[in-house]
Amino acid sequence: MSAQGYEEELRGERAYVAGLYARLDAERARVKGEYEAALGGNGVGAMERDVGVRALGRQVKRLEVVDNGLCFGRLDAESGERSYIGRIGLFDEADEFRPMLLDWRAPAARPFYTATGANPEGMDRRRQFRTRGRQVLGFTDEVLGRPGEDGEGDPDAALLAAVNAPRGEGMRDIVATIQAEQDEIIRLDHPGVLVIEGGPGTGKTVVALHRVAYLLYTQRERMERHGALVVGPNPAFLHHIGRVLPSLGETDVVFTTTGGLLPGLDVTAEDPPETARLKGSLKILDVLKGAVADRQRLPVEPVPITLKDVTVRIDAETAEWARQEARDSGLPHNEARAVFAEIVTYVLTERAIARIGRGWLSRDDREEWESMRAGLVQELAGDAKFTAALDELWPILTPEALLAALYTSPERLRAAGADAALLRADGAAWTVSDVPLLDELVDLLGHDKTADKAAERAAERKRKAEAEYAEGVFQTMKLDREEMDEDVMLSAENLLYAEDLADRFVEADTRTLVERATADRDWTYRHVVVDEAQELSEMDWRVLMRRCPGRSFTVVGDLAQRRSAAGARSWGAMLAPYVADRWVYRSLTVNYRTPAEIMAVAAAVLAGFAPDVRPPDSVRACGVLPWSRQVRGDELAAAVEEFVRAEAGREGTSVVIGPPGVPGAVPAAETKGLEFDAVLVVDPAAILADSAADLYVALTRATQRLGVLHEGPLPAALTGLAEVPAPARR
């Protein structure tokens, strides 16, 4: 294409894209108007309307977040038909809803990602736009099916431009540059568990996020009321990926770490490896059950209960019978207390009646016997000592109180069959390994029925008060019938009952799906993404399976990067208890992040601790060799500062990774899943001594430049680094 022809084409593309933005603005205004009007309504049918209001709210959000890069490509078919590809779909209402812009997830858009010169899939040309905001800056063409024809563009131009671009604060979507192997995974038609494994920089995380966006598009009706859950390794990672799905128009997604899976908790502290291993194993289930059973006690001595006419005693035999009946009920601990109390009450009232009625009352006098029992039951229910005895023998427990008491008591640990390594001074100093245990205890303990009934009574009182208030409103609304023409107007009470009006005064739940889901421990999701999944323990997986009964998961990880003692050593072993063999595996083999020069260094480290694992192949070289420098201890801080100062003057991001005590450094574990233009690794020998996987992670975070500072000798795997001499000392 000549320069003049290119400019003419560019003007045409700019005009078309401007029309798309005009259509987007019109659609946005229409939907926003409907949404605001719906929010202003009230009256009967609020629940039905609420569903519609929520749907409109979601639509508004989708239309608001696609402003940047709305359209990023064009497909020309051999038939002459032309399609524009973008973040959402737009239609021309004036032209029988002709598609103006195809959603990238639509089946018709798939050749944009999968067509090749050898297999054009009926396509003649693929055009990729370079944009900034709403402006089309230029385009690149790739002619398909006719190799060597004049005007054929570089098929990798857009990809290389994207991977070479400086990094910003967060992960970017790859919607304009999805590669064929990634597209196959994103669109995979598998309803169960999909495992995506890939080395550093292979894009497994962003592929998983685009898969969520694809599922939300293709299964909107099934997924939108429950949403999706994304679980990441740490808050920094979640912040890094947090803008990907909103940029694709999807907001009904909850992001959390395993430390935040239980409402009310947001835990980041970690246990030592051995403690984490103990807590992460399914064997801890027996410990939790033992800890609950240990609180279901028998009295050492009979407990006297003095009633108005007689004193009765709760002895070990009675308590043992009641305990067994309560356990056999199959109810959670707190709910089974009612069974325990019922048996104890029955025995005590039987004994009391027998003593009080000795000589004049027999069991044949059923009416008198039951009348006396009813009085005694009421007297026991109000007796403080009886209630205290129940609290001692079968206490109402919370997960937090039970676990904290277990951790601080050697006796309770022994009674529960727990390892002494779980003992600690502050029982409530929660770690991420405690969260699945607390979640398990929610089911083992159940609800406090007494508290539930109190809440129900309070809700009923509130409802009646609202009805009485509404009745007062009716009285003010009534018209004097003598002054009212019945043919013209009906009084309010002919239209609604007071309780109908009261429903209008009940505050509707206006929280978003994300707000409702994060506040509800029993919320279930339609799909769950688990990133850095190799780090999750068996107990972590129990929590996640509860959150997704449909077992629809995208599992992302790299077994070679596992650092947790409780983590996965094989995907099959971890998933088999929940889905047997009903899971599929896909791997990503191309490294889009790490240039070949840096990957060669990281591959040498990988070969040392995982020789059977093949490192991913880098898609590019950057021409900059990674370097190392030996420094004295008193020079370290200055050398780190020198790196930080130099990178501050460059476009992009940088990070210092090192062991504790290095000024300005973050641990390697906290950089998992993140990427930076420049990385400085400090004291690699110390990182390696703690975890070879951590050093591998540290070395593979850089997209352009890697440097290493060391005091002692370099680990053998790093001796290939270019040694840079320190500045001359004065």
Side-chain angles (χ1 to χ4, degrees), residues 526-545:
R526 287 292 184 259
H527 190 76
V528 176
V529 172
V530 187
D531 210 320
E532 299 295 342
Q534 73 278 354
E535 306 296 348
L536 270 62
S537 70
E538 293 175 321
M539 289 298 295
D540 290 326
W541 281 107
R542 279 180 67 86
V543 179
L544 292 175
M545 292 297 171

Side-chain angles (χ1 to χ4, degrees), residues 81-391:
E81 184 179 357
R82 179 179 295 176
S83 300
Y84 285 83
I85 315 298
R87 295 174 181 277
I88 62 170
L90 290 174
F91 302 89
D92 187 350
E93 294 180 355
D95 189 11
E96 299 181 344
F97 288 90
R98 175 184 61 84
M100 296 177 65
L101 184 66
L102 279 179
D103 191 299
W104 66 275
R105 296 164 288 192
R110 186 167 191 179
F112 185 79
Y113 301 108
T114 57
T116 64
N119 182 25
E121 300 186 31
M123 297 296 129
D124 183 68
R125 182 185 303 270
R126 172 168 41 226
R127 175 166 291 178
Q128 294 176 305
F129 297 139
R130 290 183 288 108
T131 64
R132 181 185 297 125
R134 292 190 169 202
Q135 181 68 26
V136 178
L137 302 179
F139 62 81
T140 301
D141 275 352
E142 180 186 358
V143 176
L144 303 169
R146 299 193 297 277
E149 181 172 318
D150 181 43
E152 182 178 5
D154 180 359
D156 295 326
L159 172 64
L160 291 175
V163 298
N164 278 311
R167 267 39 181 183
E169 290 187 1
M171 178 181 283
R172 299 167 297 186
D173 65 67
I174 58 168
V175 65
T177 58
I178 295 172
Q179 301 301 292
E181 72 166 357
Q182 297 171 329
D183 184 79
E184 187 271 333
I185 294 172
I186 290 169
R187 300 175 191 261
L188 186 65
D189 183 17
H190 179 71
V193 176
L194 165 64
V195 174
I196 306 173
E197 185 162 27
T202 54
K204 51 189 180 295
T205 296
V206 74
V207 166
L209 294 174
H210 282 67
R211 176 167 170 77
V212 172
Y214 176 76
L215 293 175
L216 286 166
Y217 173 81
T218 58
Q219 303 178 25
R220 182 78 63 193
E221 185 175 346
R222 185 182 77 87
M223 292 187 66
E224 67 180 356
R225 291 196 180 184
H226 288 258
L229 172 67
V230 176
V231 180
N234 54 60
F237 174 85
L238 296 181
H239 176 74
H240 179 65
I241 69 172
R243 287 183 286 184
V244 173
L245 284 168
S247 75
L248 300 174
E250 303 300 345
T251 57
D252 290 339
V253 181
V254 173
F255 292 85
T256 188
T257 64
T258 54
L261 285 171
L262 194 60
L265 289 179
D266 188 12
V267 183
T268 58
E270 294 186 1
D271 281 305
E274 178 59 16
T275 306
R277 186 190 65 79
L278 291 170
K279 292 180 180 179
S281 169
L282 291 181
K283 295 177 182 178
I284 200 71
L285 292 173
D286 291 333
V287 171
L288 298 179
K289 292 173 184 176
V292 174
D294 182 53
R295 304 300 290 271
Q296 300 164 355
R297 296 180 173 270
L298 305 178
V300 178
E301 298 290 339
V303 181
I305 308 295
T306 302
L307 302 175
K308 182 172 62 175
D309 298 318
V310 68
T311 295
V312 290
R313 289 174 172 77
I314 305 176
D315 55 29
E317 183 180 11
T318 298
E320 187 172 15
W321 177 32
R323 182 173 70 175
Q324 194 58 50
E325 288 291 327
R327 289 176 175 176
D328 290 346
S329 71
L331 295 170
H333 170 87
N334 289 335
E335 296 171 29
R337 173 179 159 124
V339 178
F340 180 84
E342 181 183 9
I343 299 297
V344 173
T345 299
Y346 171 79
V347 172
L348 296 189
T349 54
E350 283 289 304
R351 290 175 180 171
I353 294 171
R355 293 176 188 174
I356 295 171
R358 184 176 296 154
W360 63 272
L361 180 63
S362 71
R363 289 185 178 276
D364 294 335
D365 301 321
R366 298 305 304 169
E367 186 173 342
E368 181 68 24
W369 191 285
E370 292 303 325
S371 175
M372 186 176 293
R373 182 197 298 281
L376 289 169
V377 168
Q378 188 173 3
E379 190 176 352
L380 280 173
D383 187 87
K385 192 164 186 181
F386 179 68
T387 300
L390 291 180
D391 289 341

